[in-house]
Amino acid sequence: MAGDIVIRSVGKDERAAWDSLWNGYLAFYNATLAPGASDVAWQRFHDPDEPMFLLGAYADGKLIGIVQYLFHRSSWTPGNYCYLQDLYVSEDARGLGAGRALIEAVYERAKQAGASRVHWLTQASNTQARILYDKVAEFSGFIQYRHLF
């Protein structure tokens, strides 16, 4: 795969390409979603009244990576935070710079929106991604706890 990486919104007509990457991401994390969850997410990404967004990385016109992010309030700052919720690059496109380009695109959009930070989570064992994350962000040292319903 050659050529420059182009970052842009993923269009409504690109659901099949998104599904392929989204399913790869879910498989990577051994995640199972509630029925209809992906459909709801897809609708939210394309609803101008939602604070959820989807960008794609394209090489030679092919969608090779996705980043999904949202804005949320914080009790620590007047401005919103930006949560980079999901980032995935297809296995055959890793090493081309798509992951970094997607993160930097979220940084730019967060700045434009007046957010005071971009933050995200990853598994401690995701060593390959953490090599990039250590270059583009600061490890906060926090550990996530959660209770599922």
Side-chain angles (χ1 to χ4, degrees):
M1 201 170 286
D4 294 329
I5 303 294
V6 174
I7 306 297
R8 66 169 174 79
S9 295
V10 177
K12 284 184 179 182
D13 61 339
E14 297 178 283
R15 174 72 190 259
W18 174 79
D19 276 335
S20 177
L21 292 172
W22 179 233
N23 289 327
Y25 177 82
L26 295 173
F28 178 82
Y29 281 111
N30 297 314
T32 303
L33 301 182
S38 294
D39 294 331
V40 171
W42 183 254
Q43 291 169 357
R44 288 176 177 164
F45 296 140
H46 295 96
D47 182 343
D49 294 327
E50 287 284 347
M52 293 179 62
F53 303 91
L54 166 64
L55 296 174
Y58 296 81
D60 296 330
K62 179 182 177 191
L63 182 63
I64 61 167
I66 54 172
V67 66
Q68 300 166 173
Y69 63 99
L70 58 98
F71 293 101
H72 66 91
R73 302 231 184 264
S74 168
S75 59
W76 288 41
T77 64
N80 287 339
Y81 286 175
C82 179
Y83 178 47
L84 190 158
Q85 188 167 27
D86 309 300
L87 174 68
Y88 184 76
V89 175
S90 65
E91 288 185 36
D92 62 337
R94 293 184 185 157
L96 299 177
R100 179 187 290 267
L102 286 164
I103 291 169
E104 290 175 355
V106 172
Y107 286 172
E108 185 58 34
R109 282 154 180 83
K111 284 181 199 173
Q112 291 172 359
S116 62
R117 75 170 63 171
V118 174
H119 64 106
W120 65 90
L121 303 170
T122 196
Q123 289 180 332
S125 63
N126 193 0
T127 54
Q128 191 63 37
R130 291 184 68 193
I131 291 169
L132 170 62
Y133 300 163
D134 287 342
K135 293 176 183 173
V136 299
E138 174 187 325
F139 174 58
S140 68
F142 278 85
I143 299 170
Q144 180 195 32
Y145 291 86
R146 62 182 167 183
H147 179 85
L148 301 179
F149 298 100

